[in-house]
Amino acid sequence: MWIKVKLVIYELKKIWGRPRFLLFLCAFMALHVFLLWYQNLPDEQTPPLSAYGRFQEMTAGMNEEEKGAYICRRKEILDGVSFVEEVLLFQGVSGQMGQELADRAMAEHPGLFQEYDEWYLSGAYLEWTDSLWRERTMVEEVYGEWQQVSTYGDYLASIQEKKDTLGGIGIFAGSGDSFSARNIRKSARDYAHLTASGIRFTLGRTLTGALEHMWTDVGLLLGVFLSVGEMILAEKEKGLFLVTRVTKHGLTGSIAGKLAALLIHCILLTGSLYAVNFLFFGCQAGFPDGSARLQSVAAFRESPFAIRIWEYVMLSVLTKAVVLYGFGVLLTIPCLLTDSVVLPYGLGMLFCGINGILYLAVPASSRALPLKTLNLAGLLQTKRLYGAYLNFDLLGHPFSRVVAAWLVILLFVLLSVGGSIFCFVRGQQLVLRKGHLWVWRPPFKPHGSLLRHECHKIMVGNRGAVILLCCMVLVGGFELGRACYLSAGEQYYRDIMLRLEGGLTKEKEELVLAEKSRYEKAFQQVERIERLMAEGVLSEPAGEEQMAKWKGILAFYPDFRRVWQQYEGIREHGEGHFIYDTGYLYLFGIWGGENLVDLLLVVLGVILVTGNGNGPDTTCGIWKLLGATRAGKRRILMSRLRVCVSTALLLALVPVLCRAVGMRDLFTWQGFGLSTGDIPCCSMLPGFFTALPVVGFVLVFALSQGLVLAVAALLVFALSLWQRTGARTYFLAMLVFILPLVLQLLGLSWAERFSLYPLYSWMRSM
């Protein structure tokens, strides 16, 4: 047998049998899941993945007609609620113009405001998410996908109709041999075997999210780089090729075993990563109905293949594995031809970069479209390959992109395999050249500062600076990327508070009392109309129409109560100022739960920076030597601890600053000079805190969060002294500090008692 099974297993064990590779794989998968979670964090307008799961649960037992009726009803409700919000936004505008716009909108849609104003006020329209903007985005997405799937039969009919129209119009008689005409006829033939039967609407969030993720493809390419280096460069470095080539199967058998092992490795690695993707998206957004036709997902409506969803998943993973295998085999050629470690990786990255640039730079309408789709980056996009229909213009004849793609893949693999075998048999570079990479390093400057020395060891030697920068980018990106959408009530509250901000004057008091009088009048009018309806003087439709104006005014009454609370507090104490406090409610974590995400990210940064602070000295066994020095063990530990605590305090400032910048629409910067006691949520604090200016209390709040992180850094530092190795310290620290936060994010509220969250967000209890 040309390929020896034992030799293949032996080559495969070189990769999968090594603890270093398995540890790397587990660490990479943990990082991969973290990136999946971070990239799918919801913002003010983007629904969370759990919303898709709730939709799946609510429609699980419905047939297609019931599912369509349910989705249409949700769309109708959200359109009505959005109209109510629009009218309220008009009514929130000061002056007569706002009321005129509101009256005009209600006149154009009679009865719509009365039908959905109770939905808006009660929040009963929220079924999948927790805010109007997220719910509206979710409903629009679901309704759009359902429309595409429900009209699939019309889509198939339109394709055949184009062919019949082409054959029936005489003007096309002379152009029947053009590419467009041939493409229409070929499309009709390719879709002729498809029907609308068996289509069951399924959301595509899990399918597209799991199979089309950029970081997964990058991870797979990285795995191929490492595996090829392990099989080829590692043996060349040890000079094993000089021995194995003279054995019975040293030439063709050895390289054939390596290539076969590489194929199995690519399949296993691809299957493992995409299995993790499916578990992540499926557990949150719900697993798709694998037995449904692929066209049941809107993103694949154009697919000409009569396959089921699970068959597409298998085909997609297999295609990616074969493409990666072709790239891996191609990478073995420079590994075999050169005696340098760097050159093969450099050429591989250059090849990936060129393919990526072609995929991004070539327009979809260009005649160079094959260069965009038939390269490494394009072939990994299996959603476009199997989910969209495209024919290339080959000398005036349509040629299927799928057929062209598989021809390119097979040709690419065969040429790479042949080239690698030829290079292995005829190659002369059997060992690696001794040498080191030239890397610029800053010149060493002698100094006597122990703190500076330990800071260099942690931040540079242990890559703490890189971890700190990545953590700051993640936290800052999350906070700055959150869009701030103001509801109608919040806009009304913001406008009136900006007019009142500062000390109480006669004009401001008149404004507050006038608003209170307006609401009292609205309550009286609603009560009067309800009494007339109960006595039969007014019919219900007429009464509802008259009450619409007054109910629109009363919709802002809960927001006015916040204004009245500040007014009463100022009158009661005889001093104080009005202040727009919504931004501070978010800044202090009283509203919104996003600071839980911030806490998870900053604690993770503290653990990664601090966890290996004592590892190198412990594993190298030089603590006895350090203990005998003039500085001694205690001063060394104190210097390291100062670095770790400073890192924690620095990280604590990032969420506060980025949240204040990201939610700048909710903050009035002139309010920072007022007293903290003017903020209603802070009025119950001790006198020392209420006497501080707002900007001072914000710094105190950030410092309190920094102290919580500093305590966490101290405990992790103690764990590193106890466990002596970085890996065990990381594991225990993740178990103690990260696991409760993850469980809390998953909805298990009891985990809060075992986490740092109550201390970190102590203002929530005020």
Side-chain angles (χ1 to χ4, degrees):
M1 186 177 180
W2 188 53
I3 301 178
K4 297 294 183 181
V5 176
K6 290 185 178 180
L7 191 57
V8 174
I9 296 175
Y10 172 74
E11 295 291 344
L12 195 60
K13 282 183 177 180
K14 287 183 179 179
I15 306 173
W16 288 81
R18 294 191 176 185
R20 183 176 62 181
F21 174 79
L22 295 177
L23 182 62
F24 166 79
L25 185 62
C26 292
F28 177 77
M29 284 190 174
L31 176 63
H32 184 57
V33 171
F34 172 78
L35 291 175
L36 287 175
W37 168 77
Y38 180 79
Q39 289 186 325
N40 288 278
L41 285 173
D43 56 23
E44 292 293 328
Q45 197 171 16
T46 305
L49 291 177
S50 57
Y52 299 90
R54 281 191 283 273
F55 171 81
Q56 296 275 58
E57 294 175 0
M58 291 180 178
T59 58
M62 299 182 183
N63 56 36
E64 294 307 300
E65 293 183 0
E66 294 171 340
K67 200 180 295 183
Y70 172 69
I71 295 172
C72 290
R73 178 55 181 163
R74 295 294 304 147
K75 179 70 164 58
E76 181 183 339
I77 292 173
L78 263 294
D79 287 343
V81 170
S82 299
F83 174 76
V84 172
E85 186 191 40
E86 181 183 355
V87 172
L88 294 179
L89 285 173
F90 288 147
Q91 291 181 340
V93 177
S94 59
Q96 188 64 25
M97 185 181 67
Q99 187 60 47
E100 290 178 357
L101 291 173
D103 293 340
R104 185 185 306 170
M106 287 192 288
E108 292 175 356
H109 302 85
L112 191 60
F113 183 89
Q114 294 88 335
E115 183 179 356
Y116 291 103
D117 62 333
E118 292 296 335
W119 285 83
Y120 179 83
L121 295 175
S122 65
Y125 58 89
L126 298 176
E127 287 191 8
W128 304 334
T129 64
D130 57 357
S131 71
L132 172 60
W133 304 282
R134 290 176 179 175
E135 192 80 14
R136 186 160 50 199
T137 302
M138 178 77 178
V139 168
E140 292 291 341
E141 180 181 352
V142 172
Y143 183 76
E145 291 189 16
W146 172 79
Q147 272 195 320
Q148 293 186 56
V149 175
S150 62
T151 58
Y152 181 67
D154 298 334
Y155 172 72
L156 294 178
S158 67
I159 295 175
Q160 302 301 326
E161 211 174 295
K162 287 181 182 178
K163 184 197 72 169
D164 297 338
T165 303
L166 178 65
I169 299 178
I171 193 174
F172 289 103
S175 60
D177 293 334
S178 66
F179 171 75
S180 298
R182 288 169 174 163
N183 191 39
I184 291 174
R185 289 195 292 268
K186 184 177 186 303
S187 300
R189 290 195 302 270
D190 291 341
Y191 283 98
H193 66 288
L194 296 175
T195 63
S197 61
I199 298 296
R200 301 193 296 273
F201 172 64
T202 303
L203 282 180
R205 188 69 179 89
T206 297
L207 192 63
T208 57
L211 289 178
E212 304 299 328
H213 193 263
M214 182 189 70
W215 288 109
T216 305
D217 295 336
V218 172
L220 290 172
L221 291 172
L222 179 61
V224 171
F225 271 103
L226 295 178
S227 60
V228 172
E230 196 70 33
M231 287 194 302
I232 306 297
L233 296 179
E235 292 197 4
K236 291 182 70 172
E237 184 179 10
K238 298 174 183 178
L240 295 179
F241 283 159
L242 297 173
V243 179
T244 57
R245 284 168 61 89
V246 298
T247 61
K248 182 179 180 180
H249 302 288
L251 290 176
T252 57
S254 178
I255 190 62
K258 293 180 185 298
L259 297 180
L262 181 61
L263 176 60
I264 298 173
H265 166 73
C266 289
I267 294 174
L268 291 176
L269 185 63
T270 307
S272 300
L273 284 183
Y274 281 108
V276 170
N277 284 13
F278 263 99
L279 285 174
F280 176 83
F281 281 97
C283 291
Q284 297 190 69
F287 291 96
D289 184 2
S291 62
R293 280 263 304 277
L294 180 61
Q295 291 79 4
S296 300
V297 179
F300 299 91
R301 189 176 76 152
E302 295 182 13
S303 175
F305 301 102
I307 58 177
R308 289 172 286 184
I309 290 178
W310 73 267
E311 293 173 327
Y312 163 74
V313 172
M314 300 300 294
L315 179 61
S316 179
V317 173
L318 180 62
T319 302
K320 291 174 181 284
V322 175
V323 172
L324 288 168
Y325 174 68
F327 170 71
V329 176
L330 180 67
L331 191 61
T332 62
I333 295 177
C335 289
L336 292 169
L337 290 178
T338 182
D339 59 355
S340 170
V341 179
V342 181
L343 185 60
Y345 294 120
L347 292 175
M349 288 187 287
L350 179 64
F351 180 77
C352 294
I354 292 174
N355 281 266
I357 292 173
L358 286 174
Y359 181 77
L360 295 174
V362 175
S365 58
S366 171
R367 295 185 64 87
L369 182 60
L371 294 178
K372 177 184 181 72
T373 57
L374 301 180
N375 60 33
L376 180 64
L379 293 174
L380 289 174
Q381 300 295 318
T382 53
K383 174 186 170 184
R384 297 181 181 273
L385 183 62
Y386 298 116
Y389 184 79
L390 178 65
N391 292 315
F392 295 130
D393 185 355
L394 183 62
L395 302 177
H397 293 271
F399 193 76
S400 172
R401 174 173 61 176
V402 177
V403 176
W406 272 105
L407 287 176
V408 169
I409 292 173
L410 294 177
L411 184 63
F412 178 51
V413 171
L414 291 176
L415 290 178
S416 299
V417 169
S420 61
I421 293 175
F422 177 82
C423 293
F424 185 78
V425 173
R426 297 297 184 92
Q428 301 297 321
Q429 303 292 343
L430 304 180
V431 293
L432 291 180
R433 181 176 66 247
K434 298 293 184 181
H436 299 282
L437 289 176
W438 180 85
V439 180
W440 181 84
R441 293 184 177 88
F444 176 75
K445 296 180 179 180
H447 59 83
S449 173
L450 181 60
L451 178 62
R452 181 179 170 185
H453 176 72
E454 295 299 332
C455 181
H456 184 274
K457 287 174 63 177
I458 294 175
M459 292 298 170
V460 179
N462 288 344
R463 308 295 188 270
V466 176
I467 296 171
L468 182 62
L469 179 62
C470 291
C471 184
M472 295 172 68
V473 168
L474 290 175
V475 175
F478 173 68
E479 288 294 346
L480 296 176
R482 289 168 54 195
C484 180
Y485 297 92
L486 304 181
S487 64
E490 183 59 40
Q491 289 199 26
Y492 162 80
Y493 179 70
R494 182 179 187 274
D495 292 340
I496 193 171
M497 288 307 302
L498 291 182
R499 292 164 62 187
L500 294 173
E501 191 166 77
L504 180 64
T505 63
K506 183 178 180 181
E507 292 78 8
K508 293 178 181 179
E509 186 172 16
E510 290 176 353
L511 173 61
V512 174
L513 294 177
E515 284 292 301
K516 188 174 188 300
S517 176
R518 187 166 71 99
Y519 286 112
E520 289 176 348
K521 180 181 178 181
F523 277 116
Q524 293 171 1
Q525 290 295 327
V526 169
E527 184 179 354
R528 181 185 65 83
I529 295 172
E530 288 178 345
R531 185 175 62 253
L532 293 176
M533 290 171 60
E535 294 173 353
V537 178
L538 277 177
S539 63
E540 186 173 346
E544 290 291 339
E545 185 177 355
Q546 291 186 24
M547 278 199 299
K549 173 185 176 181
W550 304 109
K551 283 188 175 181
I553 294 175
L554 292 177
F556 298 103
Y557 183 69
D559 302 285
F560 175 74
R561 290 180 61 184
R562 296 172 60 191
V563 180
W564 187 255
Q565 179 186 1
Q566 293 200 35
Y567 170 74
E568 286 188 323
I570 294 173
R571 289 294 304 271
E572 180 182 350
H573 297 93
E575 59 180 1
H577 303 82
F578 288 101
I579 186 171
Y580 178 47
D581 62 330
T582 300
Y584 301 105
L585 294 175
Y586 282 103
L587 184 67
F588 299 146
I590 298 173
W591 284 7
E594 288 79 6
N595 53 351
L596 180 59
V597 176
D598 293 332
L599 177 60
L600 177 62
L601 294 175
V602 294
V603 169
L604 183 63
V606 168
I607 291 173
L608 294 178
V609 171
T610 310
N612 199 33
N614 300 300
D617 292 340
T618 304
T619 54
C620 294
I622 61 173
W623 266 121
K624 293 182 179 180
L625 179 62
L626 293 174
T629 60
R630 182 179 180 182
K633 207 175 196 180
R634 183 179 59 83
R635 289 185 58 192
I636 293 173
L637 291 177
M638 290 302 298
S639 298
R640 292 177 184 175
L641 191 57
R642 288 170 62 186
V643 174
C644 296
V645 170
S646 301
T647 301
L649 295 175
L650 178 62
L651 282 175
L653 290 175
V654 177
V656 176
L657 294 176
C658 292
R659 194 178 305 143
V661 174
M663 307 185 85
R664 53 190 174 274
D665 291 338
L666 295 178
F667 288 93
T668 53
W669 300 105
Q670 61 267 30
F672 273 93
L674 300 178
S675 173
T676 303
D678 294 329
I679 304 176
C681 66
C682 300
S683 59
M684 302 302 294
L685 292 172
F688 169 77
F689 294 109
T690 56
L692 289 173
V694 173
V695 63
F697 182 74
V698 170
L699 293 177
V700 169
F701 176 75
L703 179 62
S704 69
Q705 293 186 330
L707 291 177
V708 174
L709 296 180
V711 171
L714 179 62
L715 295 176
V716 174
F717 191 81
L719 282 176
S720 68
L721 288 174
W722 175 39
Q723 292 298 317
R724 300 178 179 272
T725 62
R728 287 186 290 185
T729 303
Y730 290 145
F731 175 76
L732 287 177
M734 296 284 184
L735 193 64
V736 173
F737 297 108
I738 299 297
L739 182 60
L741 298 176
V742 172
L743 294 177
Q744 193 173 345
L745 282 170
L746 294 176
L748 302 176
S749 57
W750 56 266
E752 180 178 342
R753 293 174 293 185
F754 304 97
S755 70
L756 296 173
Y757 187 64
L759 296 175
Y760 186 79
S761 297
W762 57 273
M763 281 293 294
R764 292 174 65 91
S765 60
M766 292 290 115

